[in-house]
Amino acid sequence: MYARNATCYIRIPFTVEDDSKKLTTLTLKARYDDGFVAYLNGVEVARRNFSGTPAWKSRASTSHSDLLAVQFESIDISASFSLLREGGNVLAIHGMNSSTTNGDFLISVELVAGTVPSARLYTEPITLDHSTEVKARAWDGNAWSALNDATYAVGPIAESLRISEIMYHPLSGEGIPPLRREAVSASPLKEQGQDALATEEFIELTNVGTESINLNLVRFTNGIDFTFPNVELAPGEYVVAVQDRDAFQARYGLDVYVTGQYSGRLDNAGERIRLEDALGRMVLDFNYSDVWRSLTDGEGFSLALIDPANPDVNTWGEKDAWRPSAHLGGSPGWDDSGILPVPGSVVINEVLAHSHAEDADWIELYNAAGHAIDVGGWFLSDSGDNPFKYEIAPGTTIDAGGYLVFREDTHFGNRNNPGCREPFALSENGETLYLSSARNGALTGYREAEDFGASITDVSFGRYYKPDTGNTNFVAMEYITPGFTNTYPKIGPVIISEIMYNPDWPDGGPYTNDQYEYIELRNISIEPVTLYNPNTSEPWKFTSGIDFAFPTDPPATIPAGGCLLVARHSQAFLLRYPGVPVETVLGSYDGQLSNAGENIELSMPGDVDAAGVRHYIRVDRVNYSDGSHPQDCPGQVDLWPVEADGFGLSLTRRILADYGNDADNWIAGVPSPGE
């Protein structure tokens, strides 16, 4: 069957003797992975995990977990008893796997006939102490009624049960004993093309309520496949569901409360997880992402919830609700909060990477928390592969709201400094800096990373907080301020002032709508700006959004307060806007602006690195949106105006001298190129 067909036909002949007339009940007992349709003498009597009309290559509609598949499920088919006939009979099974590449398959059936069992007459209410599926029938003295079933949900599951930790991408091979590692590497997972060492996955749940809850019939219906057995969870207690019990216990021991082994695996790139109660009502439904915390994506740390008791279940799908675990391997079965600051407490706040003459580069940290934080033993580095380049001196603390500056000449670039394990310098062509927490030389679960681009001499990069979205950008600053509050971002001298990314004019004509796109640039300084660097003999250009380099013979110059228009198709633009002076229109450019939004960057030539690659210094950037992508925006709210998306309006910068990469500084306005 493997890689050929998900269907398997089974026919089981059997004989019924004369005394079978004394029997009145009929039960089909089945163990199956993943689904089936059963027929008794050619008439369907039962099916599982399949709907519709079966065909020769049908597959099960869903998988059936291994934990449940190996247990017989009893299906009452007494209503089909009349199908039995004296002598030869046939029980036929149309078995179905969930796919042709599923690594296992199971069909095992029994047909059991019996007499009417003894019955108990219930005259009082029945008390259920946990969620239960009840099956019952009535006896009228001569015959049983049809079987009825119902599921009853018991306890405050939705109010009290919370996912508190997710190990979705374990550190492959680390922490697995050699014998276990050898066994795992030869497992069926390896044959199926999966990462066989990624078997220490787990999801931890906790009871945040004030009373014990029973998890019977609670289930994961997205992300993984698992139904909880009859287990009690006391207030504040933890339980974990695991991908591989043996691998998990080899790593974490036998003291962690493991409730069972789930089917499937968590996606290393992130995915949707849905947890339901016994009646199928949502308990949690959210998406996690591998870009939230880099330490959790294959570096051995788990995603841990900052506040499992938060009553707003919508926050489970937000980055700021999660942190890396305090220690390598996570903390299944216990709470490791309070050991490290929450993400964003200590940040890389400002960096000078292109100092002048004998001046030194420097890195500034800022404590945004409301209390002092000990960063002694933490590390600074310019390499994600080697975070251990400079160790901060033991006992170093940063006061609440305080700053701490490290210089290349006295700290991270000074071989004589005891903390300097591998000297490094900051690149004027841009790079990424890392701040990593550690204890006794081993990494713990706090990391901040900031990347910055090429820079002009004595221009720093720093964090700029955008109050409308609550997030920050790391951008060129107007002035350097080591040890003090950052200044406003450096604006200009040339800015992006208008963007027509989705024109709607005209309806027909010689050009397509996209050919009426344009970007307006404006010189907000008091001097002319030539978009050409005579020292490098290279022009300015757009380094993101569109492909366009400014002319060199002669170079393009924008007078003080003046503007240039860069058109998708210059002839189309001049047809649409005949009043714009021809000499201010450049183009045509290659590429097309995305109607959904994208990043536009205007840059000037910078230095050449050791490999001979020219780097470009960003002058202005606008990462716009069409206003319809809240999932890509901080706080899940898209603040960009939707009216510029094909409704005849353009994106227009409100205040030219204010920061441009901020939706709050843009409106949808009547197109006004050159005005």
Side-chain angles (χ1 to χ4, degrees), residues 254-465:
L254 302 178
D255 294 334
V256 181
Y257 187 3
V258 177
T259 187
Q261 188 169 283
Y262 54 75
S263 299
R265 59 173 296 174
L266 296 169
D267 195 321
N268 291 346
E271 64 179 316
R272 176 188 172 203
I273 293 179
R274 182 176 174 88
L275 181 68
E276 298 178 352
D277 70 4
L279 295 180
R281 297 174 300 194
M282 187 269 288
V283 178
L284 290 170
D285 193 342
F286 65 95
N287 288 276
Y288 71 89
S289 173
D290 64 331
V291 302
W292 283 355
R293 310 293 177 196
S294 61
L295 284 171
T296 67
D297 189 20
E299 297 192 39
F301 293 83
S302 65
L303 267 180
L305 202 71
I306 294 175
D307 181 15
N310 188 340
D312 184 2
V313 296
N314 294 319
T315 62
W316 263 249
E318 298 176 2
K319 170 186 175 180
D320 290 342
W322 298 86
R323 60 175 175 84
S325 57
H327 300 294
L328 191 70
S331 59
W334 62 285
D335 179 13
D336 69 352
S337 62
I339 296 175
L340 292 173
V342 297
S345 296
V346 181
V347 297
I348 299 171
N349 193 58
E350 191 177 0
V351 171
L352 180 65
H354 197 167
S355 55
H356 181 69
E358 69 278 0
D359 293 338
D361 293 349
W362 45 264
I363 303 168
E364 177 192 75
L365 304 183
Y366 171 66
N367 179 3
H371 55 84
I373 294 178
D374 184 354
V375 295
W378 292 24
F379 287 91
L380 285 170
S381 177
D382 63 348
S383 169
D385 295 328
N386 177 16
F388 303 103
K389 288 191 174 183
Y390 177 75
E391 182 177 3
I392 299 174
T396 301
T397 61
I398 309 177
D399 292 334
Y403 301 87
L404 184 61
V405 178
F406 297 92
R407 294 171 55 88
E408 178 187 350
D409 55 356
T410 57
H411 297 102
F412 55 87
N414 183 358
R415 294 184 180 275
N416 295 321
N417 188 300
C420 187
R421 297 188 176 185
E422 182 179 327
F424 67 95
L426 305 184
S427 173
E428 61 198 39
N429 294 320
E431 60 181 328
T432 302
L433 285 178
Y434 301 88
L435 170 68
S436 305
S437 66
R439 178 177 293 178
N440 299 323
L443 291 183
T444 53
Y446 187 96
R447 173 179 290 174
E448 287 287 329
E450 288 291 356
D451 65 302
F452 56 91
S455 56
I456 302 173
T457 302
D458 284 338
V459 172
S460 65
F461 280 85
R463 284 165 53 92
Y464 170 65
Y465 177 78

Side-chain angles (χ1 to χ4, degrees), residues 454 456 490-497 499 519-524 529-532 539-546 548-550 556 558 564 566 586 599-605 616-623 653:
I456 302 173
K490 178 179 174 58
I491 310 298
V494 177
I495 62 157
I496 299 169
S497 53
I499 305 169
I519 299 173
E520 180 188 79
L521 304 179
R522 189 166 294 275
N523 177 4
I524 62 172
V529 176
T530 298
L531 309 185
Y532 179 81
W540 292 24
K541 69 178 185 177
F542 283 92
T543 50
S544 181
I546 63 173
F548 182 78
F550 289 88
I558 309 178
L564 277 180
V566 183
L586 299 178
N599 185 47
I600 303 175
E601 291 189 8
L602 173 68
S603 303
M604 66 171 68
Y616 282 79
I617 300 168
R618 187 170 66 210
V619 178
D620 199 21
R621 172 181 64 167
V622 180
N623 192 5
R653 194 161 176 156

